[in-house]
Amino acid sequence: DHLVEVLDDLGFDPERRTTGGEQQVGLRHCPFLEVAENRTNVICPVHLGLMQGAMETWGAPVVVERLDEFVEPDLCLAHLRLQTAAK
């Protein structure tokens, strides 16, 4: 919930989703769309790192595993998974 709130504050227009039992956050608006369309190799990893770093900082039991860019013209998908305990 906190991640969705932060992404909303940053202008990503996030939406919580579940597909095949997997938790996801859909990002409907990219604040850097004009750059991201031509530089997904730069902008999208920054967005993924922002989400991963936030979850780590908060000590969340969930991690952002990956970000699928432009699965639709106006949708990127962040895939979440429950963090397993270190052995």
Side-chain angles (χ1 to χ4, degrees), residues 50-68:
L50 174 107
M51 290 184 281
Q52 290 173 330
M55 298 300 268
E56 185 177 326
T57 297
W58 298 327
V62 173
V63 295
V64 181
E65 188 170 53
R66 72 180 193 277
L67 177 64
D68 293 340

Side-chain angles (χ1 to χ4, degrees), residues 14-52:
E15 56 188 34
R16 296 174 66 184
R17 304 166 64 110
T18 303
T19 302
E22 180 187 48
Q23 296 296 312
Q24 303 169 338
V25 176
L27 306 175
R28 285 283 179 191
H29 177 263
C30 178
F32 304 100
L33 182 60
E34 290 180 13
V35 177
E37 288 177 324
N38 296 314
R39 298 282 187 193
T40 57
N41 62 330
V42 175
I43 299 300
C44 301
V46 169
H47 292 161
L48 175 59
L50 174 107
M51 290 184 281
Q52 290 173 330

